[in-house]
Amino acid sequence: MALHLYTLFHLNLSFSSIEVEQRAEVIDRCYWPLLRLVQGTGVSVGIEVSGYTLEEIARIDPSWIDELRSLSQSGLIELVGSGYVQMIGPLVPAPVNHWNQQLGLEVYQRVLGIRPALVLVNEQAYSASMVEHYLAAGYQGMIMEWENPSLNRSDWNSVWRYFPQQAKGLHGESIPLLWNMSMPFQQFQRYVHGEIALDAYLTYLNRHQGEGERLFPLYGNDAEIFDYRPGRYRSETARHDGEWQRMALLFAVLQKDERFRFVAPSQALSLCDQPEAGNLLELQTSRQPIPVKKQGKYNINRWAVTGRDDLYINSCCHKIALHLNRSKANSDQWRELCYLWSSDFRTHITEKRWSEYLHRLWCMLAECPEYNEPERSRQADDAGFDKYKIIWRNRLLTIDTESVRLVLNADRGLAVESFSLLADPDLSLLGTLRHGYFDQIDLGADFYSGHLVAEIPGDHKLTDLLPVDPTFECQGGSLIISAAIETSLGVLKKSILLPLRGEGFSLRYGFDWQELPLAALRLGHITLNPEAFNAAGLYYATHNGGQDKETFLIDKTPVNHLSQSGFLVSSSHGVGITGGEIEIGDDRRHLSITFDPGSSALTGHIQYQNVGERYFYRLTLSAREIDDTCSACRKVSSSVPQQIHLMIKVLSTVA
């Protein structure tokens, strides 16, 4: 039986390291040879292109568009959808995801007269919430990577990668799923770049044969890397002219080999009736809530809190999105915001394009009244002190309100020692787990809550866990406990806001820092008390680009989103928190941690580990991580957020 081969070439003129004036060369060296490859071999291929890239090609070289349209009509090229721009869906609010898909479909129809049946998950960064957007846009199937989702699914059969499956959405809906595979497309690239011989590559392909018919994604990645090099990495292979001819030779050999047969991507879905096809799969897990393509450095933090200044530009985009939602904006305004949320501005963007990007961002930001509105000051209310019960003992500050008890450690920068409901004041829900609490050496430390840590490569950690003499004031119905903490980067202003009524408190950081060096900046740590939450019911829930929250059950499975992926990459996983709220807790109660992503678009990271009869469970929020996209900007100071404000509330999960 034949191995059915399908290909998908990703076209992106917004490629981060390619200047605008180089786009005509990319079309000439990469996009035209792709069409000639199809014409010369008669092999049907898939081409995935964003609406923006299609518009740019039409502006620069309309004849290429004419040829693409002709080849599409003849069935030799299948258009695969992307959206108006290449956008990381799990990192943007639901309305922006909706507009990105709708605007993309409008461009496909206007420029080519085509409505694609399949959609490629941008950068293979997937969340279950994306299913609702693809179905709403009318797509009949989705293309997503196999390797990373399957890595955390020991119950999956490895044979499933050779057949179409079904991806499960949040509410039981599903969409047909066609696999892309990173290892095969990297092997394909190595052959075309001359790193491996044709015989060796054919031997590799033959290893994927089975007893019956199977599908195999021969290629599913960039077109701009053949007979051209985008210039992202020093390690890029040397360019050898004739790489497209080398690819054509491979296609010709495969066409003559009875073991292989070329099909278009949508034709691959015809094997849905096979016994190993059609399984309803959840691609996400608590360990990997947002699967992303390729090796570990390509995780969701790459477009969220790294780059030149991802935190700042993502926060600005969130602010603009909120304004557009409130003002019932037109499609042109949403189109501009989609452009500003393109993934390529968040990786290896060039200096020139970065400056042009900031100009467009600031122009749109200036139209938001919320951006220009001055902060209103509130009058202090000293009369409120007598409503709180405040006790100082051994540098521990215990404060009782009408509902809660909060204990702060003045020797550790106002870290939360414990936080409990007044109905059961001795049962702390979150706080500090002291050294010795866990009888295991890898957890032989103090685990605090409500503190900040900056990890700077080659230097000692910077923390706010220093002795302070706090000040007190009552304002706006809350007791405010504040301290100014001297750090090597400048003064960190920290405040705890404790309302008289309500089961919660707020944490506010103010940064009088001039710059932030290359560092991982993490804050708002919430360490749960294992004696207060049922291990069997532990979960976390948040928005990852959809209208509703996604829920992840821990199920006593080890989770570490902050594990390093090599020396250069400071973290491996995380969640987008696109609605500005994340819940952690069990089936009886949970904590709700909220913040304004328009002020600071933080990411969330979970750590969970079983330790005998106990467990370690912590949420960390991040404002900055490290990877290869920010290493090039090592000498460029990243802007520091002026203020980050978190609110932590206790809520009942079961009525």
Side-chain angles (χ1 to χ4, degrees), residues 10 12 15-18 86 123 185 189 193 219 221-225 228-237 293-294 297-298 302-303 344 347-350 628-629 631-632:
H10 167 63
N12 178 24
F15 211 112
S16 59
S17 54
I18 297 177
Q86 180 175 266
E123 294 287 14
F185 81 58
Q189 289 172 186
H193 287 167
Y219 188 66
N221 199 37
D222 304 328
E224 298 86 1
I225 61 170
Y228 188 83
R229 297 294 184 270
R232 290 170 298 174
Y233 311 114
R234 294 178 181 177
S235 59
E236 286 181 342
T237 58
K293 67 179 182 179
K294 299 201 288 191
K297 73 175 182 178
Y298 291 93
R302 184 177 185 82
W303 303 277
D344 292 286
T347 53
H348 296 276
I349 195 67
T350 65
D628 62 289
T629 67
S631 63

mmCIF file of all heavy atoms in Angstrom, residues 10 12 15-18 86 123 185 189 193 219 221-225 228-237 293-294 297-298 302-303 344 347-350 628-629 631-632:
data_model
loop_
_atom_site.group_PDB
_atom_site.id
_atom_site.type_symbol
_atom_site.label_atom_id
_atom_site.label_comp_id
_atom_site.label_asym_id
_atom_site.label_seq_id
_atom_site.Cartn_x
_atom_site.Cartn_y
_atom_site.Cartn_z
ATOM 1 N N HIS A 10 4.443 27.279 3.841
ATOM 2 C CA HIS A 10 3.996 28.452 4.593
ATOM 3 C C HIS A 10 4.661 29.697 4.007
ATOM 4 O O HIS A 10 5.889 29.814 3.986
ATOM 5 C CB HIS A 10 4.372 28.275 6.069
ATOM 6 C CG HIS A 10 4.244 29.506 6.896
ATOM 7 N ND1 HIS A 10 3.050 30.152 7.111
ATOM 8 C CD2 HIS A 10 5.172 30.223 7.585
ATOM 9 C CE1 HIS A 10 3.252 31.195 7.897
ATOM 10 N NE2 HIS A 10 4.534 31.263 8.190
ATOM 11 N N ASN A 12 5.123 33.803 4.181
ATOM 12 C CA ASN A 12 4.984 34.881 5.157
ATOM 13 C C ASN A 12 5.952 36.015 4.826
ATOM 14 O O ASN A 12 7.132 35.964 5.184
ATOM 15 C CB ASN A 12 5.259 34.343 6.568
ATOM 16 C CG ASN A 12 5.166 35.426 7.626
ATOM 17 O OD1 ASN A 12 4.500 36.439 7.436
ATOM 18 N ND2 ASN A 12 5.843 35.213 8.741
ATOM 19 N N PHE A 15 7.908 37.883 7.690
ATOM 20 C CA PHE A 15 8.995 37.172 8.356
ATOM 21 C C PHE A 15 9.862 38.165 9.129
ATOM 22 O O PHE A 15 10.334 39.151 8.579
ATOM 23 C CB PHE A 15 9.836 36.447 7.307
ATOM 24 C CG PHE A 15 10.454 35.178 7.781
ATOM 25 C CD1 PHE A 15 10.049 33.946 7.289
ATOM 26 C CD2 PHE A 15 11.469 35.198 8.720
ATOM 27 C CE1 PHE A 15 10.625 32.759 7.715
ATOM 28 C CE2 PHE A 15 12.058 34.028 9.153
ATOM 29 C CZ PHE A 15 11.639 32.798 8.654
ATOM 30 N N SER A 16 10.079 37.906 10.412
ATOM 31 C CA SER A 16 10.638 38.903 11.325
ATOM 32 C C SER A 16 11.959 39.509 10.861
ATOM 33 O O SER A 16 12.167 40.713 10.982
ATOM 34 C CB SER A 16 10.823 38.278 12.709
ATOM 35 O OG SER A 16 11.681 37.151 12.640
ATOM 36 N N SER A 17 12.859 38.687 10.329
ATOM 37 C CA SER A 17 14.196 39.181 10.010
ATOM 38 C C SER A 17 14.348 39.639 8.561
ATOM 39 O O SER A 17 15.462 39.920 8.115
ATOM 40 C CB SER A 17 15.230 38.087 10.310
ATOM 41 O OG SER A 17 14.895 36.892 9.637
ATOM 42 N N ILE A 18 13.237 39.722 7.813
ATOM 43 C CA ILE A 18 13.282 40.178 6.419
ATOM 44 C C ILE A 18 12.776 41.611 6.337
ATOM 45 O O ILE A 18 11.667 41.920 6.784
ATOM 46 C CB ILE A 18 12.430 39.261 5.519
ATOM 47 C CG1 ILE A 18 12.999 37.834 5.518
ATOM 48 C CG2 ILE A 18 12.355 39.808 4.102
ATOM 49 C CD1 ILE A 18 12.180 36.840 4.721
ATOM 50 N N GLN A 86 -0.433 36.231 10.658
ATOM 51 C CA GLN A 86 0.013 35.119 11.487
ATOM 52 C C GLN A 86 0.007 35.600 12.929
ATOM 53 O O GLN A 86 0.826 36.426 13.326
ATOM 54 C CB GLN A 86 1.416 34.671 11.074
ATOM 55 C CG GLN A 86 1.951 33.515 11.889
ATOM 56 C CD GLN A 86 3.283 33.032 11.385
ATOM 57 O OE1 GLN A 86 3.354 32.114 10.589
ATOM 58 N NE2 GLN A 86 4.359 33.653 11.846
ATOM 59 N N GLU A 123 1.860 29.137 13.793
ATOM 60 C CA GLU A 123 3.045 28.720 14.552
ATOM 61 C C GLU A 123 2.789 27.426 15.328
ATOM 62 O O GLU A 123 3.530 27.094 16.249
ATOM 63 C CB GLU A 123 3.514 29.823 15.514
ATOM 64 C CG GLU A 123 4.020 31.080 14.835
ATOM 65 C CD GLU A 123 5.389 30.902 14.186
ATOM 66 O OE1 GLU A 123 5.832 29.749 14.024
ATOM 67 O OE2 GLU A 123 5.998 31.915 13.830
ATOM 68 N N PHE A 185 9.485 17.466 8.530
ATOM 69 C CA PHE A 185 9.783 18.638 7.704
ATOM 70 C C PHE A 185 11.219 19.110 7.925
ATOM 71 O O PHE A 185 11.848 19.688 7.032
ATOM 72 C CB PHE A 185 8.736 19.745 7.852
ATOM 73 C CG PHE A 185 8.814 20.666 9.038
ATOM 74 C CD1 PHE A 185 9.931 21.439 9.302
ATOM 75 C CD2 PHE A 185 7.699 20.834 9.861
ATOM 76 C CE1 PHE A 185 9.963 22.325 10.369
ATOM 77 C CE2 PHE A 185 7.715 21.712 10.926
ATOM 78 C CZ PHE A 185 8.858 22.459 11.187
ATOM 79 N N GLN A 189 13.986 19.545 4.972
ATOM 80 C CA GLN A 189 14.865 20.713 4.847
ATOM 81 C C GLN A 189 16.328 20.286 4.746
ATOM 82 O O GLN A 189 17.097 20.842 3.948
ATOM 83 C CB GLN A 189 14.673 21.634 6.060
ATOM 84 C CG GLN A 189 13.347 22.362 6.071
ATOM 85 C CD GLN A 189 13.086 23.118 7.356
ATOM 86 O OE1 GLN A 189 12.006 23.664 7.562
ATOM 87 N NE2 GLN A 189 14.056 23.145 8.255
ATOM 88 N N HIS A 193 18.670 21.210 1.633
ATOM 89 C CA HIS A 193 19.841 22.054 1.904
ATOM 90 C C HIS A 193 21.156 21.310 1.680
ATOM 91 O O HIS A 193 22.234 21.875 1.879
ATOM 92 C CB HIS A 193 19.800 22.570 3.336
ATOM 93 C CG HIS A 193 18.764 23.629 3.560
ATOM 94 N ND1 HIS A 193 18.369 24.041 4.815
ATOM 95 C CD2 HIS A 193 18.022 24.365 2.693
ATOM 96 C CE1 HIS A 193 17.443 24.977 4.713
ATOM 97 N NE2 HIS A 193 17.216 25.194 3.425
ATOM 98 N N TYR A 219 6.182 17.809 3.970
ATOM 99 C CA TYR A 219 6.720 19.116 4.379
ATOM 100 C C TYR A 219 5.588 19.987 4.879
ATOM 101 O O TYR A 219 4.484 19.959 4.331
ATOM 102 C CB TYR A 219 7.438 19.809 3.211
ATOM 103 C CG TYR A 219 8.174 21.063 3.646
ATOM 104 C CD1 TYR A 219 9.266 20.971 4.497
ATOM 105 C CD2 TYR A 219 7.758 22.330 3.232
ATOM 106 C CE1 TYR A 219 9.936 22.115 4.919
ATOM 107 C CE2 TYR A 219 8.431 23.468 3.644
ATOM 108 C CZ TYR A 219 9.515 23.358 4.498
ATOM 109 O OH TYR A 219 10.168 24.475 4.926
ATOM 110 N N ASN A 221 6.270 23.676 6.421
ATOM 111 C CA ASN A 221 6.988 24.789 7.054
ATOM 112 C C ASN A 221 7.274 25.884 6.015
ATOM 113 O O ASN A 221 6.671 25.913 4.948
ATOM 114 C CB ASN A 221 8.282 24.279 7.690
ATOM 115 C CG ASN A 221 8.831 25.228 8.740
ATOM 116 O OD1 ASN A 221 8.072 25.842 9.482
ATOM 117 N ND2 ASN A 221 10.142 25.356 8.821
ATOM 118 N N ASP A 222 8.209 26.768 6.336
ATOM 119 C CA ASP A 222 8.474 27.983 5.566
ATOM 120 C C ASP A 222 8.933 27.704 4.139
ATOM 121 O O ASP A 222 9.714 26.781 3.886
ATOM 122 C CB ASP A 222 9.556 28.822 6.254
ATOM 123 C CG ASP A 222 9.207 29.164 7.686
ATOM 124 O OD1 ASP A 222 8.009 29.309 7.977
ATOM 125 O OD2 ASP A 222 10.135 29.281 8.515
ATOM 126 N N ALA A 223 8.486 28.580 3.237
ATOM 127 C CA ALA A 223 8.995 28.552 1.861
ATOM 128 C C ALA A 223 10.211 29.455 1.706
ATOM 129 O O ALA A 223 10.954 29.328 0.727
ATOM 130 C CB ALA A 223 7.897 28.991 0.886
ATOM 131 N N GLU A 224 10.412 30.362 2.664
ATOM 132 C CA GLU A 224 11.455 31.388 2.515
ATOM 133 C C GLU A 224 12.850 30.895 2.883
ATOM 134 O O GLU A 224 13.785 31.702 2.972
ATOM 135 C CB GLU A 224 11.106 32.605 3.381
ATOM 136 C CG GLU A 224 9.816 33.298 3.007
ATOM 137 C CD GLU A 224 8.590 32.675 3.664
ATOM 138 O OE1 GLU A 224 8.764 31.699 4.442
ATOM 139 O OE2 GLU A 224 7.478 33.147 3.412
ATOM 140 N N ILE A 225 13.012 29.602 3.084
ATOM 141 C CA ILE A 225 14.321 29.080 3.499
ATOM 142 C C ILE A 225 15.003 28.276 2.394
ATOM 143 O O ILE A 225 16.043 27.668 2.634
ATOM 144 C CB ILE A 225 14.181 28.207 4.760
ATOM 145 C CG1 ILE A 225 13.275 27.009 4.491
ATOM 146 C CG2 ILE A 225 13.658 29.024 5.929
ATOM 147 C CD1 ILE A 225 13.283 25.987 5.615
ATOM 148 N N TYR A 228 17.257 30.861 -0.293
ATOM 149 C CA TYR A 228 17.214 32.144 0.414
ATOM 150 C C TYR A 228 17.422 31.831 1.893
ATOM 151 O O TYR A 228 17.062 30.749 2.349
ATOM 152 C CB TYR A 228 15.870 32.836 0.203
ATOM 153 C CG TYR A 228 15.798 34.256 0.735
ATOM 154 C CD1 TYR A 228 16.276 35.317 -0.028
ATOM 155 C CD2 TYR A 228 15.265 34.532 1.988
ATOM 156 C CE1 TYR A 228 16.224 36.616 0.451
ATOM 157 C CE2 TYR A 228 15.195 35.827 2.473
ATOM 158 C CZ TYR A 228 15.681 36.869 1.706
ATOM 159 O OH TYR A 228 15.617 38.151 2.183
ATOM 160 N N ARG A 229 18.003 32.751 2.641
ATOM 161 C CA ARG A 229 18.139 32.582 4.080
ATOM 162 C C ARG A 229 17.634 33.861 4.763
ATOM 163 O O ARG A 229 18.141 34.952 4.478
ATOM 164 C CB ARG A 229 19.588 32.304 4.483
ATOM 165 C CG ARG A 229 20.155 30.999 3.916
ATOM 166 C CD ARG A 229 19.461 29.781 4.481
ATOM 167 N NE ARG A 229 20.077 28.538 4.011
ATOM 168 C CZ ARG A 229 19.712 27.887 2.920
ATOM 169 N NH1 ARG A 229 18.728 28.360 2.156
ATOM 170 N NH2 ARG A 229 20.319 26.763 2.571
ATOM 171 N N PRO A 230 16.647 33.725 5.675
ATOM 172 C CA PRO A 230 16.073 34.913 6.321
ATOM 173 C C PRO A 230 17.032 35.647 7.240
ATOM 174 O O PRO A 230 16.798 36.808 7.572
ATOM 175 C CB PRO A 230 14.888 34.338 7.123
ATOM 176 C CG PRO A 230 14.604 33.013 6.500
ATOM 177 C CD PRO A 230 15.927 32.499 6.021
ATOM 178 N N GLY A 231 18.104 34.983 7.693
ATOM 179 C CA GLY A 231 19.087 35.674 8.520
ATOM 180 C C GLY A 231 18.740 35.754 9.987
ATOM 181 O O GLY A 231 19.198 36.650 10.688
ATOM 182 N N ARG A 232 17.961 34.797 10.488
ATOM 183 C CA ARG A 232 17.615 34.813 11.911
ATOM 184 C C ARG A 232 18.772 34.362 12.792
ATOM 185 O O ARG A 232 18.998 34.902 13.870
ATOM 186 C CB ARG A 232 16.414 33.895 12.173
ATOM 187 C CG ARG A 232 15.108 34.360 11.638
ATOM 188 C CD ARG A 232 14.080 33.254 11.745
ATOM 189 N NE ARG A 232 14.455 32.083 10.953
ATOM 190 C CZ ARG A 232 13.798 30.938 10.945
ATOM 191 N NH1 ARG A 232 12.739 30.791 11.706
ATOM 192 N NH2 ARG A 232 14.195 29.932 10.189
ATOM 193 N N TYR A 233 19.493 33.312 12.326
ATOM 194 C CA TYR A 233 20.472 32.668 13.183
ATOM 195 C C TYR A 233 21.842 32.608 12.507
ATOM 196 O O TYR A 233 21.946 32.492 11.293
ATOM 197 C CB TYR A 233 20.040 31.222 13.511
ATOM 198 C CG TYR A 233 18.622 31.087 13.986
ATOM 199 C CD1 TYR A 233 17.676 30.397 13.221
ATOM 200 C CD2 TYR A 233 18.224 31.638 15.191
ATOM 201 C CE1 TYR A 233 16.375 30.258 13.662
ATOM 202 C CE2 TYR A 233 16.920 31.508 15.645
ATOM 203 C CZ TYR A 233 16.003 30.812 14.867
ATOM 204 O OH TYR A 233 14.709 30.689 15.302
ATOM 205 N N ARG A 234 22.879 32.648 13.324
ATOM 206 C CA ARG A 234 24.227 32.446 12.800
ATOM 207 C C ARG A 234 24.416 31.019 12.317
ATOM 208 O O ARG A 234 25.292 30.734 11.498
ATOM 209 C CB ARG A 234 25.254 32.756 13.892
ATOM 210 C CG ARG A 234 25.282 34.223 14.328
ATOM 211 C CD ARG A 234 26.287 34.430 15.439
ATOM 212 N NE ARG A 234 26.315 35.813 15.892
ATOM 213 C CZ ARG A 234 27.060 36.252 16.895
ATOM 214 N NH1 ARG A 234 27.848 35.408 17.543
ATOM 215 N NH2 ARG A 234 27.023 37.524 17.256
ATOM 216 N N SER A 235 23.630 30.111 12.873
ATOM 217 C CA SER A 235 23.788 28.686 12.563
ATOM 218 C C SER A 235 23.062 28.265 11.287
ATOM 219 O O SER A 235 23.039 27.079 10.956
ATOM 220 C CB SER A 235 23.266 27.845 13.741
ATOM 221 O OG SER A 235 21.900 28.131 13.995
ATOM 222 N N GLU A 236 22.448 29.204 10.569
ATOM 223 C CA GLU A 236 21.763 28.829 9.334
ATOM 224 C C GLU A 236 22.751 28.199 8.356
ATOM 225 O O GLU A 236 23.890 28.646 8.225
ATOM 226 C CB GLU A 236 21.114 30.065 8.685
ATOM 227 C CG GLU A 236 19.865 30.547 9.397
ATOM 228 C CD GLU A 236 19.250 31.755 8.704
ATOM 229 O OE1 GLU A 236 19.951 32.406 7.908
ATOM 230 O OE2 GLU A 236 18.079 32.049 8.969
ATOM 231 N N THR A 237 22.285 27.154 7.667
ATOM 232 C CA THR A 237 23.149 26.492 6.699
ATOM 233 C C THR A 237 23.469 27.434 5.542
ATOM 234 O O THR A 237 22.688 28.329 5.209
ATOM 235 C CB THR A 237 22.463 25.233 6.131
ATOM 236 O OG1 THR A 237 21.220 25.614 5.533
ATOM 237 C CG2 THR A 237 22.214 24.221 7.224
ATOM 238 N N LYS A 293 4.943 24.201 18.103
ATOM 239 C CA LYS A 293 5.742 23.390 17.182
ATOM 240 C C LYS A 293 7.183 23.182 17.644
ATOM 241 O O LYS A 293 7.714 23.916 18.480
ATOM 242 C CB LYS A 293 5.775 24.064 15.810
ATOM 243 C CG LYS A 293 6.555 25.397 15.820
ATOM 244 C CD LYS A 293 6.592 26.050 14.456
ATOM 245 C CE LYS A 293 7.420 27.334 14.492
ATOM 246 N NZ LYS A 293 7.487 27.985 13.180
ATOM 247 N N LYS A 294 7.777 22.178 17.099
ATOM 248 C CA LYS A 294 9.218 21.912 17.122
ATOM 249 C C LYS A 294 9.773 21.726 18.538
ATOM 250 O O LYS A 294 9.069 21.335 19.456
ATOM 251 C CB LYS A 294 9.969 23.016 16.358
ATOM 252 C CG LYS A 294 9.569 23.093 14.885
ATOM 253 C CD LYS A 294 10.604 23.790 14.031
ATOM 254 C CE LYS A 294 10.690 25.263 14.232
ATOM 255 N NZ LYS A 294 11.524 25.924 13.207
ATOM 256 N N LYS A 297 12.441 25.303 22.649
ATOM 257 C CA LYS A 297 12.559 26.760 22.679
ATOM 258 C C LYS A 297 11.361 27.437 22.031
ATOM 259 O O LYS A 297 11.094 28.616 22.284
ATOM 260 C CB LYS A 297 13.849 27.211 21.989
ATOM 261 C CG LYS A 297 13.857 27.088 20.475
ATOM 262 C CD LYS A 297 15.145 27.672 19.908
ATOM 263 C CE LYS A 297 15.180 27.615 18.383
ATOM 264 N NZ LYS A 297 16.411 28.214 17.839
ATOM 265 N N TYR A 298 10.606 26.689 21.209
ATOM 266 C CA TYR A 298 9.420 27.266 20.570
ATOM 267 C C TYR A 298 8.202 27.054 21.465
ATOM 268 O O TYR A 298 7.268 26.358 21.113
ATOM 269 C CB TYR A 298 9.195 26.633 19.204
ATOM 270 C CG TYR A 298 10.232 27.016 18.185
ATOM 271 C CD1 TYR A 298 11.354 26.216 17.988
ATOM 272 C CD2 TYR A 298 10.114 28.177 17.425
ATOM 273 C CE1 TYR A 298 12.329 26.559 17.061
ATOM 274 C CE2 TYR A 298 11.080 28.528 16.499
ATOM 275 C CZ TYR A 298 12.180 27.719 16.323
ATOM 276 O OH TYR A 298 13.134 28.063 15.408
ATOM 277 N N ARG A 302 7.562 32.555 23.885
ATOM 278 C CA ARG A 302 8.349 33.149 22.798
ATOM 279 C C ARG A 302 7.667 34.402 22.242
ATOM 280 O O ARG A 302 8.350 35.339 21.804
ATOM 281 C CB ARG A 302 8.524 32.103 21.701
ATOM 282 C CG ARG A 302 9.403 32.507 20.531
ATOM 283 C CD ARG A 302 9.547 31.345 19.565
ATOM 284 N NE ARG A 302 10.472 31.618 18.479
ATOM 285 C CZ ARG A 302 11.783 31.508 18.549
ATOM 286 N NH1 ARG A 302 12.330 31.151 19.688
ATOM 287 N NH2 ARG A 302 12.555 31.770 17.513
ATOM 288 N N TRP A 303 6.353 34.432 22.230
ATOM 289 C CA TRP A 303 5.618 35.573 21.674
ATOM 290 C C TRP A 303 4.896 36.382 22.756
ATOM 291 O O TRP A 303 4.174 37.306 22.450
ATOM 292 C CB TRP A 303 4.586 35.079 20.662
ATOM 293 C CG TRP A 303 5.196 34.283 19.557
ATOM 294 C CD1 TRP A 303 5.789 34.768 18.424
ATOM 295 C CD2 TRP A 303 5.290 32.856 19.468
ATOM 296 N NE1 TRP A 303 6.231 33.732 17.640
ATOM 297 C CE2 TRP A 303 5.942 32.550 18.252
ATOM 298 C CE3 TRP A 303 4.870 31.806 20.285
ATOM 299 C CZ2 TRP A 303 6.186 31.233 17.846
ATOM 300 C CZ3 TRP A 303 5.126 30.491 19.884
ATOM 301 C CH2 TRP A 303 5.772 30.224 18.683
ATOM 302 N N ASP A 344 5.364 38.014 14.171
ATOM 303 C CA ASP A 344 6.735 38.315 13.762
ATOM 304 C C ASP A 344 7.318 39.548 14.437
ATOM 305 O O ASP A 344 8.541 39.692 14.496
ATOM 306 C CB ASP A 344 6.799 38.474 12.242
ATOM 307 C CG ASP A 344 6.553 37.166 11.527
ATOM 308 O OD1 ASP A 344 7.457 36.318 11.542
ATOM 309 O OD2 ASP A 344 5.446 36.968 10.992
ATOM 310 N N THR A 347 9.523 38.403 17.664
ATOM 311 C CA THR A 347 10.668 37.484 17.654
ATOM 312 C C THR A 347 11.920 38.223 17.175
ATOM 313 O O THR A 347 12.398 39.113 17.857
ATOM 314 C CB THR A 347 10.353 36.244 16.806
ATOM 315 O OG1 THR A 347 9.893 36.649 15.496
ATOM 316 C CG2 THR A 347 9.259 35.405 17.457
ATOM 317 N N HIS A 348 12.433 37.864 15.987
ATOM 318 C CA HIS A 348 13.717 38.419 15.526
ATOM 319 C C HIS A 348 13.502 39.655 14.654
ATOM 320 O O HIS A 348 14.110 39.782 13.583
ATOM 321 C CB HIS A 348 14.486 37.353 14.748
ATOM 322 C CG HIS A 348 14.866 36.169 15.571
ATOM 323 N ND1 HIS A 348 15.989 36.131 16.366
ATOM 324 C CD2 HIS A 348 14.251 34.972 15.750
ATOM 325 C CE1 HIS A 348 16.060 34.967 16.983
ATOM 326 N NE2 HIS A 348 15.015 34.237 16.624
ATOM 327 N N ILE A 349 12.661 40.564 15.083
ATOM 328 C CA ILE A 349 12.334 41.732 14.278
ATOM 329 C C ILE A 349 13.559 42.639 14.106
ATOM 330 O O ILE A 349 14.346 42.830 15.043
ATOM 331 C CB ILE A 349 11.146 42.512 14.904
ATOM 332 C CG1 ILE A 349 10.560 43.500 13.923
ATOM 333 C CG2 ILE A 349 11.546 43.152 16.225
ATOM 334 C CD1 ILE A 349 9.876 42.845 12.745
ATOM 335 N N THR A 350 13.728 43.191 12.925
ATOM 336 C CA THR A 350 14.877 44.055 12.667
ATOM 337 C C THR A 350 14.665 45.433 13.304
ATOM 338 O O THR A 350 13.543 45.822 13.632
ATOM 339 C CB THR A 350 15.088 44.239 11.161
ATOM 340 O OG1 THR A 350 13.965 44.947 10.606
ATOM 341 C CG2 THR A 350 15.222 42.890 10.465
ATOM 342 N N ASP A 628 16.039 32.906 22.653
ATOM 343 C CA ASP A 628 16.912 33.409 21.595
ATOM 344 C C ASP A 628 16.399 34.696 20.963
ATOM 345 O O ASP A 628 17.161 35.425 20.331
ATOM 346 C CB ASP A 628 17.106 32.342 20.519
ATOM 347 C CG ASP A 628 15.799 31.971 19.836
ATOM 348 O OD1 ASP A 628 14.955 31.325 20.491
ATOM 349 O OD2 ASP A 628 15.601 32.326 18.659
ATOM 350 N N THR A 629 15.098 35.004 21.122
ATOM 351 C CA THR A 629 14.563 36.216 20.497
ATOM 352 C C THR A 629 14.977 37.474 21.243
ATOM 353 O O THR A 629 14.904 38.571 20.679
ATOM 354 C CB THR A 629 13.024 36.180 20.422
ATOM 355 O OG1 THR A 629 12.469 36.238 21.736
ATOM 356 C CG2 THR A 629 12.550 34.923 19.714
ATOM 357 N N SER A 631 18.011 37.479 23.115
ATOM 358 C CA SER A 631 19.457 37.474 23.287
ATOM 359 C C SER A 631 20.135 38.461 22.354
ATOM 360 O O SER A 631 21.158 39.061 22.691
ATOM 361 C CB SER A 631 20.006 36.066 23.050
ATOM 362 O OG SER A 631 19.779 35.650 21.718
ATOM 363 N N ALA A 632 19.545 38.660 21.172
ATOM 364 C CA ALA A 632 20.114 39.619 20.222
ATOM 365 C C ALA A 632 19.971 41.049 20.715
ATOM 366 O O ALA A 632 20.646 41.948 20.243
ATOM 367 C CB ALA A 632 19.435 39.472 18.864
#
